């Protein structure tokens, strides 16, 4: 029997003998698009449906649908009472600033060997993701955008841009509700045990950073298996990192694990007003095209 297998059996035994404990997942309620004046009703409905479906399948949080509250979201006092009764800790809302389409003109060879012009349309959805603490009322706002290019018409460009909103919101959710725990055991085969599991929203494939008491990153852990409510198993990415982590544990250090941040589609309002977002995107496309021409 390998050391990895023995470690897994120990972890399972620890989990089975451990008390249930309190759930550490945040309970969230999605309030939908809060400004219907900037976009059409159909666009609001489309985005709300996509985001609600994504949240209902997201393990990181417990999701309460706004319809389950039985109250008018516009009545703040009644809404807060309903949210509190359901144990909701945060609400999430969207403000869709705009759905913009932009025509791009290109030329190509036609069947006769000549040149012809044609159009493609670029779509962009600018939006804010607003997290609000039910207890304190404190809000955190993320300015974001989605971008899709080379669509045949303006309708497809607009729909394509909106199709990315749910994935962008998912990224913000994973970063905002990061999971933090402790690294408990590790063997020389790079297998490690952490003290957070399904009750905390851990999923197979989650990436964690491993940190010492000073906040220095000692390595990265890839979750391979969720063992239950209180435990998960993963592997450290490099042998050199394993030695450093083993040394820290041997010295009695308490090591923390925290889910790694994912890249967010964030921009500042000043970037949008100045048009530098579009310029940066066009510059990047030109650079990629130039690099590609070197290999022709």
């Amino acid at each position: 029997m390998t050391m990895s297998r023995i470690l897994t059996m120990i972890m399972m035994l620890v989990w089975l003998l451990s008390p249930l404990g309190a759930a550490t997942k945040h309970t969230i309620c999605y309030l939908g698009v809060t400004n219907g004046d900037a976009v059409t009703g159909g666009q609001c409905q489309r985005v709300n449906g996509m985001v609600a479906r994504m949240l209902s399948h997201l393990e990181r949080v417990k999701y309460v649908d706004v319809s389950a509250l039985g109250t008018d979201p516009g009545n703040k006092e009644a809404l807060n009472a309903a949210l509190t009764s359901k144990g909701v800790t945060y609400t999430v809302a969207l403000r869709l600033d705009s759905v913009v389409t932009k025509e791009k003109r290109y030329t190509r060879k036609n069947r006769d060997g000549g040149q012809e012009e044609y159009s493609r349309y670029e779509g962009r959805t600018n939006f804010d993701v607003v997290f609000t603490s039910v207890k304190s009322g404190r809000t955190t706002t993320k300015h974001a955008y989605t971008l899709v290019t080379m669509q045949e018409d303006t309708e497809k460009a607009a729909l394509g841009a909106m199709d990315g909103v749910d994935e962008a919101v998912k990224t913000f959710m994973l970063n905002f509700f990061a999971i933090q725990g402790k690294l408990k055991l590790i063997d020389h085969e790079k297998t490690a045990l952490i003290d957070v599991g399904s009750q905390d929203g851990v999923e197979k494939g989650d990436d964690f950073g491993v940190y010492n008491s000073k906040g220095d990153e000692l390595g990265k852990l890839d979750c391979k298996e969720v063992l239950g409510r209180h435990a998960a198993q993963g592997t450290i990415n490099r042998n050199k990192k394993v030695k450093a982590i083993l040394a820290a544990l041997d010295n009695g250090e308490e090591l923390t694990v925290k889910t790694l941040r994912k890249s967010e589609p964030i921009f500042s309002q000043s970037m949008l007003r100045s048009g530098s977002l579009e310029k940066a995107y066009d510059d990047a496309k030109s650079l990629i095209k130039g690099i590609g021409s070197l290999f022709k």
Side-chain angles (χ1 to χ4, degrees), residues 2-275:
T2 66
M3 180 62 69
S4 178
R5 182 60 179 167
I6 294 173
L7 181 59
T8 300
M9 293 176 64
I10 293 173
M11 289 189 279
M12 288 296 293
L13 182 62
V14 169
W15 169 61
L16 290 171
L17 296 178
S18 62
L20 290 177
T24 56
K25 283 185 184 181
H26 281 280
T27 301
I28 65 103
C29 180
Y30 174 58
L31 300 181
V33 177
T34 58
N35 63 322
D37 54 335
V39 291
T40 67
Q43 290 171 336
C44 286
Q45 187 176 8
R46 181 181 178 84
V47 169
N48 284 337
M50 290 190 301
V51 174
R53 283 192 297 273
M54 179 274 294
L55 291 175
S56 67
H57 292 90
L58 189 64
E59 291 292 333
R60 185 68 59 89
V61 295
K62 182 180 178 181
Y63 173 61
V64 173
D65 191 87
V66 67
S67 62
L69 299 178
T71 187
D72 178 12
N75 186 331
K76 290 187 178 182
E77 186 175 341
L79 176 62
N80 284 337
L83 291 169
T84 302
S85 68
K86 293 289 186 180
V88 175
T89 53
Y90 278 88
T91 62
V92 181
L94 287 183
R95 288 199 298 260
L96 292 177
D97 294 334
S98 60
V99 179
V100 181
T101 58
K102 182 179 179 181
E103 184 181 14
K104 299 267 186 173
R105 301 289 295 177
Y106 300 93
T107 59
R108 62 187 174 193
K109 288 185 178 180
N110 57 29
R111 293 181 178 180
D112 298 328
Q115 296 289 322
E116 65 178 11
E117 288 191 349
Y118 68 101
S119 297
R120 286 293 182 267
Y121 295 87
E122 177 181 279
R124 188 186 66 229
T125 304
N126 304 318
F127 62 97
D128 294 339
V129 185
V130 184
F131 298 91
T132 303
S133 168
V134 174
K135 184 177 181 180
S136 68
R138 181 179 178 182
T139 63
T140 302
T141 302
K142 298 288 188 179
H143 305 295
Y145 71 95
T146 61
L147 189 66
V148 62
T149 59
M150 298 299 288
Q151 299 298 315
E152 296 176 355
D153 54 52
T154 56
E155 183 179 357
K156 288 183 179 180
L159 291 176
M162 285 189 293
D163 281 346
V165 172
D166 55 340
E167 285 301 314
V169 173
K170 180 179 180 179
T171 298
F172 288 121
M173 295 286 294
L174 294 175
N175 288 342
F176 191 83
F177 298 109
I179 300 172
Q180 185 167 319
K182 303 294 182 184
L183 189 147
K184 292 298 185 182
L185 296 170
I186 186 172
D187 65 15
H188 290 277
E189 296 179 10
K190 303 192 293 186
T191 303
L193 167 68
I194 57 179
D195 67 353
V196 284
S198 61
Q199 196 162 268
D200 309 285
V202 178
E203 292 185 87
K204 181 179 179 180
D206 280 345
D207 294 318
F208 290 82
V210 181
Y211 306 91
N212 61 18
S213 56
K214 297 179 181 179
D216 301 323
E217 185 180 293
L218 301 182
K220 292 181 175 64
L221 181 145
D222 177 20
C223 179
K224 297 297 185 182
E225 185 177 4
V226 179
L227 301 176
R229 298 179 297 273
H230 309 293
Q233 173 186 315
T235 56
I236 306 300
N237 57 352
R238 293 183 182 178
N239 289 326
K240 290 183 178 179
K241 302 293 185 180
V242 172
K243 293 179 181 179
I245 293 171
L246 283 170
L249 290 174
D250 289 342
N251 291 332
E253 286 192 56
E254 188 175 73
L255 302 183
T256 301
V257 294
K258 186 176 180 180
T259 46
L260 296 174
R261 288 186 63 82
K262 297 180 180 296
S263 178
E264 298 178 344
I266 292 178
F267 70 96
S268 68
Q269 296 289 9
S270 59
M271 284 176 65
L272 182 61
R273 286 194 297 269
S274 67

Side-chain angles (χ1 to χ4, degrees), residues 263-293:
S263 178
E264 298 178 344
I266 292 178
F267 70 96
S268 68
Q269 296 289 9
S270 59
M271 284 176 65
L272 182 61
R273 286 194 297 269
S274 67
S276 57
L277 178 64
E278 288 87 348
K279 184 178 184 304
Y281 182 76
D282 288 339
D283 289 346
K285 286 201 300 183
S286 297
L287 178 61
I288 293 171
K289 184 177 181 180
I291 293 174
S293 65

